[in-house]
Amino acid sequence: AAFFRKYQYWFWGAAAVLLLLSAHSVLVAIQVRRKTKNIQSLMEEKIKFTQEMSETREKLQTMEKFQSINQMSSLLAHELQQPLGAIKNFSRGLVRKTQKGKMDKEIFDLAINQIIAEVDKAAEIVNHVRAYAKNLPTQREFVDLNTVASTSFQTFLSATNFMGKAELLLFPKPIIVEISVWEIEIVLLNLLKNAAEALSHVPDGKIKMRVNC
């Protein structure tokens, strides 16, 4: 007892230190559990967010696929109107010539060759649209812009029923450019078609196409 009374403050101090250490350990354990729970919650939220992002990405890819198919269908239907319209006009011309008894070999051969050319053009359009759908590089070549404009202009006259006047003014010298011939022809045909539609109700409407440099 005398020994305890002599060193009681040491004993009480040691007990207090042990109590504080125990309390600290309990607090640390509680904090660790809380942090672990928070980390688990964050991980679960991250996994959920990743799954939602994956589902959203799949939906967007599906929508883009359908949109791409729709665009390809619209592009194909739109661009095929020109050669199909030309084939229709040439075929009607053959029928009229035959009904009137004015068919001869020269006219027949000319019309058939024009129809074959338009069929080839339709096949070329299908191949270009297929290449576009597959994101293949566009084929470019050096050509005279006068030739491209003349081809587009003649195709426009053959494939449409424009009743007004149409005039093509070529540049006096060759204009050599590196282009995708198919794409430029499509652009020119669409411009001519839009002009014809705009002038459909205009008396004596005239389309003038000029190649300049």
Side-chain angles (χ1 to χ4, degrees), residues 21-31 33:
L21 289 174
S22 299
H24 179 265
S25 298
V26 172
L27 290 175
V28 168
I30 292 173
Q31 290 179 352
R33 282 197 297 269

Side-chain angles (χ1 to χ4, degrees), residues 183-210:
E183 291 181 352
I184 298 302
E185 285 184 353
I186 292 299
V187 170
L188 295 177
L189 284 170
N190 286 334
L191 290 173
L192 289 168
K193 182 181 177 182
N194 292 339
E197 291 177 353
L199 296 173
S200 59
H201 300 292
V202 178
D204 300 325
K206 183 177 181 180
I207 295 175
K208 180 180 289 186
M209 180 176 177
R210 182 192 300 271

Side-chain angles (χ1 to χ4, degrees), residues 76-90 114-115 117-123 125 155 158-159 186 189:
L76 186 61
H78 180 266
E79 302 308 337
L80 284 177
Q81 286 180 358
Q82 297 288 348
L84 292 179
I87 292 171
K88 183 179 180 180
N89 289 339
F90 285 126
Q114 291 289 347
I115 290 174
E118 295 302 329
V119 171
D120 291 340
K121 184 172 293 184
I125 289 174
T155 301
S158 301
I186 292 299
L189 284 170

Side-chain angles (χ1 to χ4, degrees), residues 113-132:
N113 288 332
Q114 291 289 347
I115 290 174
I116 292 173
E118 295 302 329
V119 171
D120 291 340
K121 184 172 293 184
E124 185 181 1
I125 289 174
V126 172
N127 290 333
H128 276 86
V129 172
R130 185 182 295 130
Y132 177 77

Side-chain angles (χ1 to χ4, degrees), residues 25-80:
S25 298
V26 172
L27 290 175
V28 168
I30 292 173
Q31 290 179 352
V32 168
R33 282 197 297 269
R34 286 179 178 175
K35 290 183 177 179
T36 302
K37 187 176 181 180
N38 290 336
I39 293 173
Q40 289 177 345
S41 298
L42 290 174
M43 290 297 295
E44 290 174 357
E45 290 178 0
K46 183 177 180 180
I47 292 172
K48 184 179 179 181
F49 177 75
T50 303
Q51 291 175 344
E52 291 177 351
M53 286 293 295
S54 178
E55 292 175 358
T56 302
R57 191 179 300 111
E58 290 178 0
K59 290 180 180 179
L60 288 174
Q61 289 175 349
T62 302
M63 292 174 64
E64 289 176 354
K65 183 177 180 180
F66 280 116
Q67 185 178 6
S68 178
I69 293 174
N70 184 50
Q71 289 177 345
M72 291 302 101
S73 301
S74 299
L75 178 62
L76 186 61
H78 180 266
E79 302 308 337
L80 284 177

